[in-house]
Structure formats: structure tokens, C-alpha cells
Amino acid sequence: MRVRGLTKAYKGHQAVAGVDLDVARGEVFAVLGPNGAGKTTTVEILEAHRNRDGGEVSVLGVDPAKADRAWRARLGIVLQSANDAANLTVNEAVRHYAKYYADPRDPDEVIELVGLADKAKSRAGTLSGGQRRRLDVALGIIGRPELVFLDEPTTGFDPEARRQFWGLIKNLAAEGTTILLTTHYLDEAEALADRVAVLAGGRIVAEGTPQNLGGRAHAEATVRWSDDRGRREIRTHEPTKVIAELARHGELAELTVTRPSLEDVYLELIA
């Protein structure tokens, strides 16, 4: 995927103001940003659900504005909320959607992959939130997509359901599927993404791996310890050197070394 100078305005408001993106095949790429940052508009343009005002876009080698049905069949799209197929069982829904594709995956295999084998005969409308999202993913991947868009996939999940869903996404990535993920959860981006981009004000303000975003890996570390004078701390770019020097004077109680978290960096970037 390649995006250069992407722009989109609504009634004079510049929702997307010159976005550049590169997403490699087989990569899990997360787009972060506050509400109104331009995430949804950007993704909708990439999915061919919205026209752009300017810029160049290539998704799976095709301009979405000129895409045909064959191109759309190469995508899997999992929206933030979906209430269709509520009266169908899981098995019926997956088999029904499989008929839209020339070479679908085996429905039973997909149901097993998303962890719904024990719910195959349950109606979609009776599933829990986490189970419904798993069904949404099943419908999104039944056509063997090369690229999957996930829009806020775990909103409203409890912690256990989120962890289970992360395992599903990791399995898809391990199969070589390219995944573009939008999320408000920074721990989710850190757990799943190979790279992340932060959108603010319609622009990319930072891009990199979760570990290196915004210079995080090279930011000052805070060394904290306790001694007879109480709790103490030092901020330094050389924590190992500081600890070695302190250790020369005896045992260090309650020693910790911390660097800025992804959340710290993110909040600074969007401030």
C-alpha cells in the first residue's frame, strides 16, 4: 500500500491534510489518533468507500477510486459495528458469505480459526460482543483476502476477550495477511503492530515501530531506588552506567529503570 499527499475536506474543514503512508505486504500496521484526527476518513478512502480530493493512493497495486469487483474481493473489511445476519446462525452466515467469492476458504475451517466452533449453531443475534466480533472477522476473511481492515476491533471487549481476539489477529498475520488496524488502545497497538502511525489534525505526526515511536527507545530513562535518605531517582540516557556507579556503594533497594511508555509518547505527540 502506498499513499502520497492524501487530502480530503468537508465543507471547508480539512479532515485529511497530506497523509503519506507505506504498508508492506504481510505487515500489521496500526493507525492511532484522537477522535477527529482523520483516521476513519483515511481508511474509508483506502477501502474505496469515500472519494479523495487529492493525492495518490495505491492499494494492492490499484487506485481504489478506479477499483473493480475483482479488487474488492481481495479485501476483508471488519467495521466497528455490524448488526447484519442477526437471524442467521454462525454456520449459515459464514456459508452464505462464502458464496460471494470464487475461491473462498472452507467455512468450517474459518469458524474454527476464529474460535466459534462451539457456537456454530447459535444465531448471530445471541452472541456476546466478543463472539460477534469474531464472526465479523470470519465474514471478513472467508474470501481469502490479501489485506484486512480492522476498525476499532475490540471496542467494548472485556480484558479476556481482547486477549483472545489478539491471538486471532496474530494467527492471521502469521498466515501472511496484511492488516491495517485502527485503535484507541495503545497496548493493543504495542501487542499487535509491526509499525504504527499517529494521526493528529489530519496529518501523520509520527511513524515507526511501537518501541521506537517518537524516539521512545532513546528517551531518558528514570532510575529509582531507596536508601537511608528515602526514595530517590535520576533521569539519564545511561541507566546502566548510573546503576553500576550506585552499586559500588552497596545494595540498591527497590531498584527500577523505566522509559517513557507508548502512552506517554502518544500523548505528547497529539498534544
Side-chain angles (χ1 to χ4, degrees):
M1 181 188 303
R2 185 176 187 273
V3 179
R4 291 291 181 272
L6 180 63
T7 61
K8 179 67 178 181
Y10 301 103
K11 297 180 180 180
H13 170 66
Q14 197 72 39
V16 182
V19 165
D20 295 341
L21 280 178
D22 288 286
V23 180
R25 287 185 180 272
E27 185 173 33
V28 180
F29 192 94
V31 179
L32 310 176
N35 291 332
K39 300 191 306 297
T40 298
T41 297
T42 298
V43 172
E44 287 178 346
I45 292 170
L46 300 180
E47 296 170 339
H49 286 162
R50 193 173 298 278
N51 294 325
R52 64 186 184 270
D53 292 338
E56 299 176 3
V57 179
S58 176
V59 178
L60 298 178
V62 176
D63 182 342
K66 303 175 182 178
D68 58 14
R69 185 173 179 178
W71 176 84
R72 293 176 187 275
R74 299 166 65 194
L75 302 183
I77 298 175
V78 181
L79 301 175
Q80 187 170 352
S81 60
N83 298 308
D84 55 331
N87 292 322
L88 298 178
T89 66
V90 169
N91 187 51
E92 291 169 342
V94 175
R95 292 183 184 282
H96 174 72
Y97 272 74
K99 295 177 182 178
Y100 292 127
Y101 300 94
D103 183 30
R105 298 178 68 147
D106 177 71
D108 292 330
E109 172 194 309
V110 170
I111 292 171
E112 180 72 32
L113 177 64
V114 301
L116 288 178
D118 61 339
K119 294 289 182 179
K121 296 182 180 180
S122 300
R123 295 189 183 277
T126 67
L127 301 177
S128 69
Q131 291 166 346
R132 175 64 222 218
R133 294 303 279 159
R134 288 172 177 269
L135 175 57
D136 292 339
V137 172
L139 302 182
I141 67 173
I142 189 65
R144 300 184 191 273
E146 299 169 45
L147 168 63
V148 174
F149 291 95
L150 295 173
D151 184 16
E152 305 286 350
T154 61
T155 298
F157 278 27
D158 62 50
E160 181 180 3
R162 287 182 70 214
R163 295 285 178 171
Q164 292 174 347
F165 194 85
W166 290 359
L168 169 58
I169 302 308
K170 290 176 181 178
N171 287 340
L172 288 176
E175 292 182 349
T177 306
T178 305
I179 297 172
L180 191 139
L181 163 77
T182 64
T183 181
H184 284 294
Y185 299 119
L186 301 181
D187 59 336
E188 186 160 272
E190 193 155 24
L192 297 177
D194 299 305
R195 289 188 303 128
V196 300
V198 178
L199 262 173
R203 298 179 183 276
I204 301 290
V205 296
E207 183 179 333
T209 66
Q211 296 75 28
N212 295 323
L213 189 71
R216 178 185 175 197
H218 304 290
E220 279 190 326
T222 301
V223 180
R224 294 185 177 91
W225 74 99
S226 296
D227 60 18
D228 54 5
R229 288 184 286 177
R231 192 67 173 156
R232 303 178 64 190
E233 69 175 50
I234 291 177
R235 293 176 62 85
T236 176
H237 287 289
E238 299 179 305
T240 303
K241 182 178 179 181
V242 168
I243 292 171
E245 180 63 29
L246 291 170
R248 291 173 56 192
H249 303 288
E251 191 68 25
L252 300 174
E254 300 178 38
L255 175 68
T256 62
V257 179
T258 58
R259 292 190 185 274
S261 66
L262 183 59
E263 180 176 355
D264 294 332
V265 172
Y266 170 77
L267 292 175
E268 183 176 345
L269 288 168
I270 67 171

